Amino acid sequence: MLGAGHFLSVPASDLTGPTGLYWTVRPRIVGDLCAVPSVAALVHMARDPRRVGAR
């Protein structure tokens, strides 16, 4: 969704401070992130034109 040449930054797993990038809830272990298919499904739902204005 960001387009070519754009990147999404992910903070280091131990950053929890209020400056720069940080985790609101720190991952339990390094690499404990969302599964790619789950993120893809979320993006697909968000891009669905039938959901515009839905709550």
Side-chain angles (χ1 to χ4, degrees), residues 2-14:
L2 297 175
H6 292 86
F7 301 91
L8 177 65
S9 296
V10 177
S13 62
D14 60 347

Side-chain angles (χ1 to χ4, degrees), residues 13-51:
S13 62
D14 60 347
L15 294 179
T16 56
T19 59
L21 292 175
Y22 67 96
W23 295 100
T24 301
V25 177
R26 184 177 172 184
R28 293 175 292 155
I29 58 174
V30 173
D32 186 25
L33 303 174
C34 297
V36 172
S38 297
V39 176
L42 178 63
V43 170
H44 178 73
M45 286 174 38
R47 296 184 79 180
D48 187 342
R50 296 173 295 172
R51 296 185 57 85

